[in-house]
Amino acid sequence: MSLLDQVRFPADIRALPREQLRQLADEVRDRHIDVVAQKGGHFGASLGVVELTVALHRVYDTPRDQLVWDTGHQAYIHKILTGRNEQLPTIRTRGGLAPFLRRDESEYDAFGAGHAATSISAAWGMAVGRDLKGADFDVVAIIGDGSMGCGLAYEALNNAGHKSNDFTVVLNDNDMSIGPAVGALNKYLTSMVTNPAYNKVRDVVKDVLHRAPRSLGHLMEEVAGKLEDGVKHMLTPGMLFEALGFRYIGPVDGHDLDELVDTFSRVRQMSGPILVHVLTQKGKGFHLAEDDPWTWHAASPFDKISGAAHAKKAGRPRYQKVFGKGLVELADEDPRIVAITAAMPDGTSTDLFSRAHADRYFDVGIAEGHGVTFAAGLATQGIKPVVAIYSTFLQRGYDNIVHDVALQDLPVVFGMDRAGIAGADGPTHNGAFDIAYMLAVPNMTVTAGKNGTETLALLRAGLQHEEGPFCLRWPRDSVPDEVPSALTIEPTPHASWEVLRRGSDLCILAVGTMVLPAIDAAQELAARGIEATVVNCRYLKPYDRAVFEEVVSAHDRILTIEEGTVTNGFGAFMTREITAFRRGAALHIETLGLPDDFIEHGGRGELLADLGLDAAGIARSARALTDGAATGRSARETA
Ligand SMILES: Cc1ncc(C[n+]2csc(CCOP(=O)(O)OP(=O)(O)O)c2C)c(N)n1
Ligand SMILES: CC(=O)[C@@H](O)[C@H](O)COP(=O)(O)O
Ligand SMILES: [Mg+2]
């Protein structure tokens, strides 16, 4: 009988004979491989924490004791062991399990995740909250080495380390982020655990312990622990974490269940801030992922034996590839261009740049704010930095954008990928706010291309723009057009719009990915006798004042459409501009976009249709606007 049939919750793990934990771990690992092979999803990170997850739920009394997983892409094992095994195949699908952790999905999900490096701050908050109310439970944060390279983690360590509240940080060190591990921390951690003298002494200590008579066991354990700590302090450089006030324990073999259970049983009896350094292998137990953890960070459905993806990647390339290739071509011609990524070389396709111009490629790690201000510094030296960061992750660098780039009018180009609906990654990853947050920044030029070619045309324009920062956005999608070499594409004229269609019944002001569906909607409307003007507002700010005045003078019914929040988005901006320009006129303005809410995970296309942001939805809104206006219905904002 399979153990997984009887182990549904952590209490079942704690009821198992200890010698069955190994079998449970093997079954859980196989289950994870089976489900992701069928359905796709995040893959390598969960494989690396199978034993760690089993051991934590074995030792700690979850959900009373709180486990705070960082980022959450490694939490499939946690979900399997906390009552969600049957639902696992629904993960990342509309209405199914969330891609990461969510407090509203399970009592075992102590804190939501998705963006990296929040776990220590959150866990510390829980520990202090516990002590303020005199409660009694353990709090454990589990953070990866890549996420430990993020400044937020140090803010938390620094703050927690000088207090005495009990809480534990588990550093899951697989020497890997998504791309190759970057940063001095990784070198430091590696040096600690590969120091031959330190490891020799550890082996001796282990051997002495093993041989000690049972009767002396506890005493020997104390002596051995002191000896090991003394050696550790002597041999390992700096003991960064001890300097920050944490008792350092480790490194521990993250795949040795006995060592893990013994270590956490010991740690659970200790007091104060503790950091347990666990060594794991990302992709452990699936040979292809062990050999190439970067590629197997996430996977689309694949054959378990060969690893071959089921669905052949047909059709046109993703926007990210078009951007990455175009940037390389432009950098071939201009030695001032540099590319900056924040630990996402693959997702932004700046890995292409790293191969073509290694000396001008910078992966700053999970440090978006630093990446932005680093770019500002480069710009003061006449360098042309292109900061390629997902819209959602760029939120981490907002003050840096305002304070270090825009206020100093520095020519930095921001390439915001995953703008709009990201899809399966859900609300933590949707690029819902970049139009709103960038429009609010003085001196910032805000743009969005209608297709791949125009995206590169805007990139060229941004690289020529010397008078301050410039941003452009693109979706997690394939381009709708054949895209030529960037070097053959003229830069889009500054602050220009493009009138794609003229009609007398209403005017549609469309942004970026909404332009082509607006054209399709206009054709549907025309079949019903409604003629729409469609304008490609590829410069959101500064906008094309001449075209604006022409079309706004000619229309009392205006529909704006953007794949971004309507709250303080382009539509709100245009509504203010239009009502000021047509003061006193009886206008009917509707702004379509993402509602003032968080959009759940699901397929990008189905979510856009749900939101009325496909051609059919746009046509419906346009008809309502023209019918409504015909009956004198007042203008209304729609979400
Ligand atoms: C703020 C932020 N930036 C970037 C990402 C994208 N991201 C997801 S997982 C990951 C790598 C994390 O590395 P590590 O913490 O070592 O975890 P591992 O995958 O190795 O288990 C990155 C960069 C993110 N989730 N959040
Ligand atoms: C967990 C995380 O943040 C990344 O793995 C993210 O899911 C990547 O997103 P894309 O798949 O859109 O590159
Ligand atoms: Mg890692």
Side-chain angles (χ1 to χ4, degrees), residues 42 71-73 92 100 114-116 178 297-298 318 320 344 346-348 390 393 418 422 425 428-429 476:
H42 283 100
T71 315
H73 62 302
R92 299 164 60 83
F100 311 111
H115 285 195
I178 282 190
H297 171 83
R318 278 190 180 173
Q320 68 185 73
M344 298 296 281
D346 223 10
T348 59
Y390 290 12
F393 299 146
R418 282 33 175 201
D425 271 346
T428 56
H429 284 56
R476 187 181 198 277

Side-chain angles (χ1 to χ4, degrees), residues 1-9 12-13 16 20 23:
M1 165 135 161
S2 120
L3 283 179
L4 253 186
D5 293 336
Q6 60 186 300
V7 173
R8 298 193 61 246
F9 290 98
D12 305 322
I13 304 173
L16 277 183
Q20 287 194 318
Q23 181 191 336

Side-chain angles (χ1 to χ4, degrees), residues 45 71 73 114-116 144-147 172 174 176-178 282 297 342-344 366 368 393 396 429:
T71 315
H73 62 302
H115 285 195
D145 58 299
S147 304
N172 167 32
N174 53 23
M176 170 61 70
S177 175
I178 282 190
K282 192 165 184 176
H297 171 83
M344 298 296 281
I366 307 177
E368 289 81 5
F393 299 146
R396 284 279 177 88
H429 284 56

Side-chain angles (χ1 to χ4, degrees), residues 303-336:
D303 177 275
K304 272 199 321 181
I305 308 304
S306 68
H310 288 324
K312 290 285 163 270
K313 285 192 177 137
R316 293 203 175 96
R318 278 190 180 173
Y319 272 86
Q320 68 185 73
K321 282 280 187 259
V322 165
F323 160 74
K325 177 171 170 291
L327 187 60
V328 167
E329 290 164 349
L330 296 173
D332 289 344
E333 304 283 304
D334 184 345
R336 293 169 301 167

